[in-house]
């Protein structure tokens, strides 16, 4: 086979006849931005004008040359040597009509599919022209919705379920309405002059400590199939087609924190006349992966199981990294996923309203040990399930399952995001017909495809679900749960402790991004959270007010905008910590905490722990601590949990603390628990220590301590767990809301020595923030509690000249 890559510089013609040159892969927005022909759509309210651009059609075109005579080499081929030529389009967005030399080649209508067309008859020797006409997605939605209305998320544009395109490009409660269009993946010609690999299926067999691998290759012709398996140590194991081969000294793949991630290469070649005519390489990890569902005293378990070990899933929900998809690069994705591992993630959920991530995304998850919960791209919408739609999504699912299924990181397939619970209640203008379509799509069509294409990977019909068929899809005692009473329901953080979900796959709390991120999309006069621009960059209606509502319950009123941003991030971090620590203390009953959400698609106030520019919010530093493999935490009962307001009729004070240490590792851990009761100046009033052994994959509770006689407005409780002379986890709790605690001024100061920062405090300091006005920072720790004395923090990224410090004391 020969290949001619058509990436590079194309011409884009706008609806009003303007022509611009730009890079493909690319899009309308990326090319206009490249030519400075539009304003930044993320700045202020420029989104509104950018949306109007998508009411028009666009044409993308370029020329290329095919030579006559001997076969070409590299990125070229001879037309006469290739009796058949295909046009391969890795990603078209979305309503495309393709011509070569003015000959109609075909059409496309699905962003998520791979499209291939036989273009042999249209090509000629010499110069050729390819033209891709893209129809307006905005106009298409309006036209289709008039013909047949289907409902969906009210934050997205009306009619969005009609188009197989990332739903969030039409708006979401964290994303703008910017339905871009273009050629978003590689596009190239394939000259067919030999057999071609059509399908590679890799099967593993694990039995009695022996691992065998079978590679089954399907091809278009009858070439000789050559298969080799290269070990992590670069040893080569020859294998036969459709035959199991034993892997000597097999090294198993494990999730992050449970072991290493050795990867094997399965190398497939087709040979004709002693010449390699086609080849592919698939990287695999040797492991078994399943989800365990077993009846128990609480209901039914739901837990990932790898190589026979069930583990507590710790991670967040992933959305597309940018609304302009050509900006999502392997380097950017790799950096984001590495920061997940830096925060002790072992899992990540790909949300179903975006797109199927790139090959590089899964390669990186393989390398890092991140188990992927993979939604199919259906979310918060009903769909018109006719034969054309069924054929379209069948091809989409088959393309992506074949692309992804071999990856070691793949933990499960999930049918959709939130549609079982909404379809059951006929939400989104549902009917009996949409309920019937739901069952057919997610409990017949998709399982039927998977039975053929990937019968090994666990399939779950929806998130949340208890197993399907509208059987209590958000049951707290079965399956996975999306819990939103904290935040959407305005419930206090303590509400988390009423539930022991088997697997929390969505729960979240919003905050504002960093000040630098806010400055990127605002003018100075916009920097009020109720300004028009700040509300444009807050897509959950009324949520800025909701942040203030929660803030009023927790902190004093901030005296400046920066303090407000800081307080909002502490609220978010404390909320998620409240839930995660509770569920980890109850490990075994609950086996997963995947918070909403990891990242942003543009600069915005949202539920993310890392903002659009890659800046860590307080939550991501908190996650590093509450997802630590060995973690100590405290279940406190106090004024905050027992008295809804200070004006409640006085009753005897209750201030108790009960510690728990959780061990999510393969080895038992021995250590010493230290605790102390201190006043605001860090003077020790009471203290103690306990030697504690925490068995592998267990959580151990200590006895409850009663401090009801303490001056709870003046004193706080601190604790840590020391293993082999090193504190591996620590924390502190108040027995009242921070706004009522009588903090002393810690008078924070710092010393900067190269990549080391030493913080000095003269009193107890809660949630110490270290930032710099002259650069972005990633630190070994931040937003931490400290007693009087010093704390040392390492700089991981950034070269600050000066630093800014604050703590909860400064929220006033």
């Amino acid at each position: 086979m020969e290949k001619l890559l058509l990436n590079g510089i194309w011409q884009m013609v706008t609806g009003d006849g303007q022509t611009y040159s730009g890079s493909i892969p690319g899009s309308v927005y990326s090319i206009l931005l490249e030519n400075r022909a539009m304003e930044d759509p993320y700045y202020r309210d420029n989104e509104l004008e950018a949306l109007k651009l998508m009411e028009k059609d666009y044409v993308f075109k370029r020329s290329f040359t095919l030579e006559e005579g001997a076969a070409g080499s590299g990125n070229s081929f001879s037309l006469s040597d290739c009796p058949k030529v295909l046009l391969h389009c890795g990603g078209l967005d979305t309503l495309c009509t393709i011509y070569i030399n003015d000959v109609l080649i075909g059409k496309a209508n699905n962003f998520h599919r791979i499209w291939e067309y036989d273009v042999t008859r249209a090509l000629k020797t010499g110069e050729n022209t390819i033209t891709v006409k893209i129809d307006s997605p905005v106009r298409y939605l309006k036209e289709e919705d008039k013909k047949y209305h289907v409902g969906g998320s009210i934050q997205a544009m009306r009619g969005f379920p009609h188009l197989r395109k990332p739903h969030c490009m039409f708006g979401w409660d964290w994303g703008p309405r910017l339905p871009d269009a273009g050629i978003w993946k590689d596009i190239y010609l394939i000259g067919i002059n030999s057999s071609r690999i059509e399908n590679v299926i890799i099967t593993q067999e694990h039995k009695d400590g022996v691992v065998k691998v079978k590679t089954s290759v399907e091809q278009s012709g009858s070439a000789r199939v050559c298969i080799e398996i290269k070990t992590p140590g670069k040893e080569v194991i020859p294998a036969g087609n459709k035959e199991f081969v034993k892997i000597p000294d097999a090294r198993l793949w494990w999730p992050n924190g449970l072991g290493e991630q050795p990867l094997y290469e399965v190398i497939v070649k087709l040979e004709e006349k002693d010449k390699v005519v086609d080849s592919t390489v698939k990287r695999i990890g040797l492991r078994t992966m399943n989800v365990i569902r077993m009846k128990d005293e609480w209901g039914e378990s739901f837990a990932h199981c790898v190589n026979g070990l069930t583990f507590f899933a710790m991670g967040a929900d992933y959305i597309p990294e940018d609304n302009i998809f050509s900006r999502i690069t392997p380097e950017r994705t790799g950096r984001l996923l590495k920061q997940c591992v830096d925060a002790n993630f072992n899992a990540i959920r790909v949300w179903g309203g975006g797109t199927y991530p790139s090959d590089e995304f899964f390669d990186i998850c393989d390398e890092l040990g991140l188990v992927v919960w993979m939604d199919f791209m259906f979310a918060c919408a009903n769909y018109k399930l006719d034969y054309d739609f069924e054929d379209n999504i069948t091809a989409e699912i088959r393309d992506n399952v074949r692309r992804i299924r071999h990856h070691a990181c793949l933990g499960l397939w999930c049918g959709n995001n939130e549609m079982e619970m909404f379809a059951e209640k006929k939400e989104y203008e549902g009917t009996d017909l949409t309920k019937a379509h739901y069952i057919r799509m997610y409990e017949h069509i998709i399982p039927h495809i998977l039975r053929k294409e990937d019968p090994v990977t666990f399939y779950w019909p929806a998130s949340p679900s208890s197993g399907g068929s509208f059987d209590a899809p958000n049951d707290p005692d079965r399956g996975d749960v999306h819990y939103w009473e904290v935040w959407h329901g305005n419930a206090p953080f303590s509400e988390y402790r009423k539930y022991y979900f088997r697997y929390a796959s969505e729960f979240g709390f919003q905050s504002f991004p960093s000040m630098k991120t806010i400055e990127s999309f605002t003018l100075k006069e916009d920097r009020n959270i109720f300004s028009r621009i700040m509300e444009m960059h807050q897509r959950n209606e009324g949520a800025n007010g909701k942040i203030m509502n929660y803030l009023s319950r927790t902190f004093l009123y901030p005296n400046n905008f920066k303090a407000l941003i800081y307080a909002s991030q502490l609220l978010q971090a404390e909320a998620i910590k409240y839930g995660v620590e509770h569920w980890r203390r109850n490990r075994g009953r609950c086996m997963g905490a995947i918070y909403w959400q990891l990242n942003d698609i543009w600069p915005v106030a949202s539920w993310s722990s890392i903002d659009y520019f890659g800046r860590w919010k307080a939550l991501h530093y908190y996650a590093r601590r509450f997802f630590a493999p060995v973690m100590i935490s405290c279940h406190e009962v106090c004024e905050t949990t027992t008295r809804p307001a200070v004006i409640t009729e006085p009753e005897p004070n209750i201030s108790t603390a009960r510690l728990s240490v959780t061990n999510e590792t393969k080895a038992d851990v021995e250590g010493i628990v230290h605790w102390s009761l201190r006043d605001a100046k860090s003077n020790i009033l009471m203290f103690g220590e306990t030697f504690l052994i925490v068995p592998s994959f267990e959580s151990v509770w200590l006895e409850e301590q009663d401090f009801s006689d303490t001056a709870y407005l003046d004193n706080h409780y601190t604790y840590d767990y020391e293993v082999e002379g090193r504190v591996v986890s620590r924390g502190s709790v108040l027995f009242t809301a921070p706004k009522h605690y009588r903090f002393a001024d810690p008078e924070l100061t710092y010393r900067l020595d190269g990549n080391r920062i030493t913080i000095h405090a003269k009193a107890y300091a809660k949630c110490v923030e270290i930032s710099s006005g002259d650069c972005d920072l990633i630190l070994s720790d931040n937003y931490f509690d400290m007693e009087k004395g010093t704390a040392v923090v390492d700089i991981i990224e950034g070269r600050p000249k000066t630093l800014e410090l604050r703590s909860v004391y400064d929220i006033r």
Side-chain angles (χ1 to χ4, degrees):
M1 288 198 315
E2 309 294 340
K3 181 176 175 180
L4 176 62
L5 190 64
L6 298 178
N7 292 359
I9 302 302
W10 287 53
Q11 303 299 309
M12 183 184 79
V13 183
T14 66
D16 56 4
Q18 296 293 314
T19 300
Y20 299 96
S21 296
S23 300
I24 294 297
S27 66
V28 172
Y29 290 152
S30 73
I31 290 176
L32 291 176
L33 287 167
E34 197 175 330
N35 286 272
R36 300 183 179 181
M38 70 176 290
E39 300 294 329
D40 177 2
Y42 299 166
Y43 184 65
R44 302 195 80 224
D45 58 358
N46 287 349
E47 169 201 351
L48 300 175
E49 291 301 313
L51 175 58
K52 294 177 183 178
L53 295 173
M54 301 318 302
E55 296 173 357
K56 304 173 183 178
D57 300 335
Y58 291 84
V59 174
F60 293 76
K61 60 184 180 180
R62 66 158 290 173
S63 60
F64 59 93
T65 302
L66 294 175
E67 301 296 340
E68 186 64 76
S73 60
N75 187 37
S76 65
F77 60 81
S78 166
L79 193 57
S80 61
D81 289 334
C82 299
K84 182 177 181 180
V85 181
L86 301 178
L87 174 66
H88 176 99
C89 306
L92 296 173
D93 181 13
T94 293
L95 297 165
C96 300
T97 306
I98 302 116
Y99 301 86
I100 290 182
N101 299 325
D102 297 323
V103 176
L104 176 63
I105 299 304
K107 296 188 176 186
N109 62 351
N110 191 324
F111 179 101
H112 306 295
R113 286 177 59 179
I114 297 169
W115 296 90
E116 286 192 346
Y117 308 91
D118 186 339
V119 297
T120 311
R121 63 187 173 86
L123 295 172
K124 62 185 180 182
T125 300
E127 186 173 279
N128 295 261
T129 300
I130 180 171
T131 303
V132 180
K133 179 180 179 296
I134 304 182
D135 293 342
S136 162
V138 173
R139 195 172 64 246
Y140 178 84
L141 294 194
K142 293 178 180 178
E143 292 170 353
E144 292 302 307
D145 192 66
K146 287 179 182 178
K147 298 175 190 175
Y148 187 100
H149 176 66
V150 284
S153 170
I154 60 172
Q155 280 87 16
M157 296 174 70
R158 184 178 174 91
F160 77 88
H162 284 291
L163 193 54
R164 294 306 298 151
K165 176 181 173 74
H167 291 347
C168 61
M169 292 177 82
F170 295 106
W172 218 258
D173 57 5
W174 37 257
R177 297 182 183 94
L178 292 172
D180 203 0
I183 301 169
W184 73 284
K185 283 189 175 183
D186 291 344
I187 181 169
Y188 50 86
L189 295 173
I190 304 172
I192 307 293
N193 53 14
S194 62
S195 299
R196 184 188 184 196
I197 296 171
E198 294 186 331
N199 196 13
V200 177
I201 304 170
I202 301 171
T203 308
Q204 299 184 29
E205 179 183 276
H206 294 247
K207 188 175 182 181
D208 300 327
V210 175
V211 180
K212 296 180 180 180
V213 173
K214 180 174 70 174
T215 306
S216 301
V217 180
E218 299 172 3
Q219 60 170 305
S220 61
S222 55
R224 178 170 174 260
V225 178
C226 302
I227 302 170
E228 295 177 340
I229 300 175
K230 186 179 290 187
T231 71
K234 306 305 180 184
E235 297 174 359
V236 175
I237 305 168
N241 190 21
K242 302 180 182 178
E243 297 176 358
F244 276 106
V245 60
K246 179 182 175 181
I247 307 298
D249 302 317
R251 296 174 57 194
L252 298 183
W253 182 95
W254 292 94
N256 178 44
L258 298 182
E260 297 181 343
Q261 294 79 41
L263 297 171
Y264 292 69
E265 291 184 355
V266 178
I267 304 167
V268 177
K269 299 176 182 177
L270 298 185
E271 291 187 357
E272 292 179 351
K273 299 178 181 179
D274 297 324
K275 178 183 178 183
V276 175
V277 295
D278 198 8
S279 64
T280 189
V281 179
K282 306 282 187 183
R283 286 199 313 175
I284 64 169
L286 304 179
R287 92 292 187 264
T288 61
M289 183 87 76
N290 203 354
V291 172
I292 301 299
R293 299 171 63 203
M294 295 181 63
K295 300 292 184 184
D296 59 25
E297 59 188 297
W298 304 294
E300 182 180 82
S301 68
F302 191 92
H304 295 291
C305 181
V306 62
N307 302 326
L309 288 179
T310 55
F311 65 93
F312 191 102
M314 302 182 287
D317 296 280
Y318 168 89
I319 65 171
E321 296 164 51
D322 207 301
N323 206 94
I324 300 173
F325 275 71
S326 59
R327 292 176 172 175
I328 305 173
T329 64
E331 294 75 22
R332 182 174 174 180
T333 298
R335 176 177 169 82
L336 179 65
L337 295 175
K338 174 63 168 58
Q339 291 173 347
C340 292
V341 170
D342 290 342
N344 294 308
F345 285 29
N346 59 26
I348 190 168
R349 174 177 171 242
V350 177
W351 172 74
T355 191
Y356 305 89
S358 66
D359 295 336
E360 291 83 4
F361 174 95
F362 293 98
D363 286 339
I364 296 163
C365 288
D366 287 342
E367 295 165 4
L368 296 177
L370 292 172
V371 173
V372 178
W373 173 309
M374 185 66 228
D375 281 5
F376 289 107
M377 292 300 114
F378 306 96
C380 300
N382 296 309
Y383 300 94
K384 181 186 177 185
L385 182 57
D386 56 21
Y387 291 126
D388 288 341
F389 187 83
E390 180 176 347
D391 290 345
N392 198 357
I393 63 171
T394 296
E396 167 191 324
I397 292 166
R398 183 183 63 244
D399 285 350
N400 286 286
V401 169
R402 288 188 175 189
R403 182 172 65 86
I404 296 167
R405 65 189 171 193
H406 68 279
H407 283 279
C409 63
L410 181 60
L412 64 83
W413 297 108
C414 178
N416 67 83
N417 175 74
E418 293 188 344
M419 277 315 301
E420 184 182 359
M421 69 178 185
F422 288 141
E424 177 196 23
K425 300 175 182 177
K426 299 182 181 178
E427 295 281 346
Y428 302 132
E429 303 165 84
T431 63
D432 289 339
L433 181 60
T434 60
K435 288 185 70 173
H437 285 173
Y438 174 90
I439 293 294
R440 177 158 174 76
M441 281 179 64
Y442 306 110
E443 301 189 20
H444 176 73
I445 293 173
I446 295 178
H448 183 74
I449 298 168
L450 290 173
R451 186 175 66 181
K452 178 181 179 182
E453 300 292 344
D454 186 12
V456 175
T457 304
F458 181 84
Y459 174 67
W460 193 235
S463 181
S465 181
S466 297
S469 302
F470 303 128
D471 178 17
N474 213 17
D475 189 330
D477 299 318
R478 294 180 294 155
D480 74 308
V481 164
H482 292 192
Y483 180 73
W484 285 103
E485 287 306 304
V486 175
W487 183 255
H488 287 308
N490 293 308
F493 302 165
S494 57
E495 200 76 4
Y496 282 125
R497 292 182 181 170
K498 294 182 180 179
Y499 299 96
Y500 302 83
F501 304 127
R502 312 317 301 266
Y503 192 113
S505 53
E506 266 196 35
F507 60 102
F509 197 96
Q510 276 204 7
S511 72
F512 298 108
S514 75
M515 191 65 194
K516 290 178 184 176
T517 297
I518 291 172
E519 288 170 351
S520 77
F521 64 81
T522 59
L523 295 171
K524 185 176 181 180
E525 58 263 33
D526 300 326
R527 292 166 200 159
N528 180 302
I529 65 168
F530 299 119
S531 74
R532 187 175 186 85
I533 299 305
M534 288 296 291
E535 290 190 344
M536 281 291 293
H537 288 255
Q538 165 58 275
R539 307 312 283 235
N540 183 203
E541 186 178 351
N544 289 354
K546 190 184 294 288
I547 290 172
M548 293 304 293
N549 178 19
Y550 274 101
L551 189 148
S552 72
R553 306 179 200 178
T554 311
F555 297 117
L556 295 175
Y557 192 84
N559 60 9
N560 60 69
F561 191 66
K562 284 186 177 181
L564 173 56
I565 302 308
Y566 166 67
S568 80
Q569 291 198 14
L570 297 190
L571 282 172
Q572 178 190 37
E574 289 288 335
I576 303 307
K577 172 189 171 186
Y578 219 92
V580 172
E581 289 188 346
H582 164 65
W583 294 320
R584 288 196 67 190
R585 286 194 291 267
N586 291 279
R587 187 208 186 279
R589 185 172 181 179
C590 179
M591 289 299 288
I594 308 296
Y595 66 77
W596 185 270
Q597 65 203 66
L598 171 63
N599 59 302
D600 283 326
I601 200 169
W602 75 318
V604 66
S606 79
W607 297 270
S608 70
S609 63
I610 298 178
D611 76 19
Y612 172 76
F613 292 105
R615 297 177 177 125
W616 289 25
K617 297 181 180 179
L619 173 55
H620 210 71
Y621 286 101
Y622 269 55
R624 177 185 275 170
R625 298 194 288 267
F626 60 59
F627 283 155
V630 178
M631 180 202 69
I632 189 170
S633 64
C634 181
H635 179 110
E636 80 287 354
V637 177
C638 58
E639 182 180 62
T640 310
T641 59
T642 59
R643 298 185 71 201
V646 296
I647 59 173
T648 303
E649 182 177 353
E651 293 183 356
N653 172 56
I654 298 175
S655 295
T656 64
R658 190 178 183 195
L659 297 174
S660 172
V661 181
T662 302
N663 177 12
E664 200 62 31
T665 74
K666 291 180 178 178
D668 296 351
V669 176
E670 298 182 2
I672 301 173
V673 172
H674 304 99
W675 63 267
S676 61
L677 185 69
R678 299 174 182 243
D679 65 18
K681 293 187 177 181
S682 291
N683 296 311
I684 298 174
L685 308 177
M686 297 175 64
F687 69 94
E689 64 179 40
T690 302
F691 177 75
L692 187 68
I693 299 175
V694 187
S696 171
F697 299 116
E698 287 192 20
S699 181
V700 175
W701 289 84
L702 282 74
E703 292 298 317
E704 182 178 82
Q705 297 173 275
D706 192 338
F707 302 106
S708 297
D709 292 335
T710 192
Y712 63 92
L713 300 179
D714 300 294
N715 302 328
H716 63 278
Y717 181 73
T718 185
Y719 49 88
D720 65 54
Y721 188 51
E722 178 186 332
V723 178
E724 297 180 349
R726 183 175 70 90
V727 173
V728 297
S729 182
R730 57 161 48 95
S732 69
V733 296
L734 306 179
F735 294 116
T736 187
K739 65 181 179 179
H740 297 313
Y741 187 76
R742 294 167 181 156
F743 287 100
D745 185 352
E747 301 180 47
L748 295 172
T749 57
Y750 71 89
R751 186 175 72 252
L752 182 59
D753 297 309
N755 289 328
R756 178 154 292 184
I757 303 168
T758 302
I759 306 297
H760 186 268
K762 293 185 178 180
Y764 171 57
K766 189 162 185 62
C767 305
V768 175
E769 178 194 55
I770 306 169
S771 63
S772 175
D774 45 68
C775 70
D776 290 337
L777 291 175
I778 294 181
L779 305 173
S780 61
D781 201 7
N782 207 351
Y783 302 95
F784 53 85
D785 300 347
M786 65 178 292
E787 297 298 333
K788 177 181 178 180
T790 60
V792 177
V793 174
D794 292 327
I795 300 172
I796 307 303
E797 291 185 17
R799 290 178 173 269
K801 296 177 182 177
T802 59
L803 297 173
E804 298 175 18
L805 306 178
R806 63 164 54 89
S807 70
V808 172
Y809 174 83
D810 298 302
I811 304 175
R812 59 184 60 233

